Amino acid sequence: MSVTGDSVLLIGESGVGKTHYGAQLLRRLMNGDGLLRMNGQATNLDPFEAALARLDEGMSADHTATSTYVDSLWPVSSARGRQADLVWPDYGGEQIRSMIASRRVPTAWATRARDAKAWLLLIRLQAIRTSDDIFSRQLADLRDSPASDGGGRTSDQARLIELLQMLIYVAGVTGGSPIDRPRLGVLLTCWDELDPEQDPGTALASALPMLWDFLHSSWRTPSVMGLSALGRALKPDVQDDQYVAHGAEHFGYVIRTDGSRSPDLTEPIHMLLDETEQPGAQGTRE
């Protein structure tokens, strides 16, 4: 895979909704009615096109096979002429879990992390395990507790921090000051299942305080937004008549950092690209 110019790396484990987001985003980009539009030939669209076909039938897409690892590269542009590539690596998502467990970053991933001007991390808060772990319990408690209670495991938020630390290292980002580049955005997926009264930042800080502190101590201006790629829950075997009648492109929304709502699913990526144009947005690399 060859990436030229600016690029945004999308990162997310399995089950966070990457394929549903990709399918809905693909239709928006091709229609060109958002802040970003497709600007050239995209690669490896089969899984997203298949998902979009399911959505047009009013049903959720099939779960991506865990053994499937294919890079998808989408060239996009903004109304102001800014061009970039969206990089969807290994959309099955299982490679990220393997990378964290083995504490080894494959060469391809190191290259992606190093070349990207921005990272977009997808997190599904409802699927995060937030019980006590080896970082939140006293050593005496861990010694006396049975191995089966999970106290000796690393929590999911600690694993996400470790993932980001690994990517920071392989990307060659150094220095003690907060990171300006790559920019970092966090998308809280399946927002329609969360408390609608909270803004995304508050929701992340409340659910994953350790990750929240890490993001704000490591990056100068990390952004946190909410995403409901489908706008509502769909079932794999029951047709949603409104989806069929109106079209999947009329569903789904983004919750901006201030809590306001937008139907433009390209906004999180556009914001990251727009921030990389700001004066002084420079990274420190070896």
Side-chain angles (χ1 to χ4, degrees), residues 7-167:
S7 63
V8 177
L9 176 64
L10 290 99
I11 306 166
E13 295 182 294
S14 60
V16 299
K18 293 190 304 300
T19 303
H20 279 147
Y21 181 40
Q24 290 285 66
L25 184 63
L26 177 62
R27 179 70 59 80
R28 304 297 209 278
L29 291 171
M30 288 183 167
N31 288 346
D33 52 5
L35 293 172
L36 295 176
R37 63 185 61 198
M38 198 71 80
N39 183 42
Q41 184 64 43
T43 65
N44 297 324
L45 292 178
D46 289 350
F48 303 104
E49 290 176 336
L52 195 51
R54 289 279 298 175
L55 296 182
D56 286 340
E57 295 175 354
M59 293 181 284
S60 62
D62 296 328
H63 180 70
T64 306
T66 58
S67 59
T68 303
Y69 298 123
V70 178
D71 284 329
S72 191
L73 179 65
W74 304 7
V76 299
S77 63
S78 68
R80 295 192 297 175
R82 181 67 184 274
Q83 299 183 14
D85 292 319
L86 305 186
V87 184
W88 298 77
D90 305 327
Y91 52 79
E94 293 299 328
Q95 193 177 60
I96 293 180
R97 287 186 179 273
S98 176
M99 192 163 59
I100 300 172
S102 66
R103 292 179 171 82
R104 298 187 64 180
V105 179
T107 301
W109 265 96
T111 301
R112 297 164 186 152
R114 183 177 62 250
D115 292 345
K117 297 296 179 65
W119 300 343
L120 184 60
L121 177 65
L122 278 64
I123 300 175
R124 186 177 183 181
L125 288 182
Q126 306 90 308
I128 293 292
R129 176 169 49 89
T130 58
S131 56
D132 285 344
D133 66 358
I134 59 176
F135 297 107
S136 62
R137 299 179 61 177
Q138 297 291 328
L139 292 178
D141 294 338
L142 292 175
R143 183 180 63 245
D144 297 336
S145 62
S148 60
D149 76 347
R153 297 183 300 179
T154 303
S155 69
D156 287 344
Q157 65 173 331
R159 289 173 53 257
L160 289 172
I161 292 171
E162 186 169 15
L163 170 65
L164 291 171
Q165 288 175 324
M166 292 165 61
L167 294 178

Side-chain angles (χ1 to χ4, degrees), residues 209-233:
M210 186 166 63
L211 176 62
W212 171 265
D213 288 342
F214 172 77
L215 297 179
H216 284 266
S217 64
S218 301
W219 272 271
R220 189 177 304 280
T221 54
S223 63
V224 183
M225 302 178 74
L227 168 71
S228 177
L230 303 182
R232 62 210 295 175

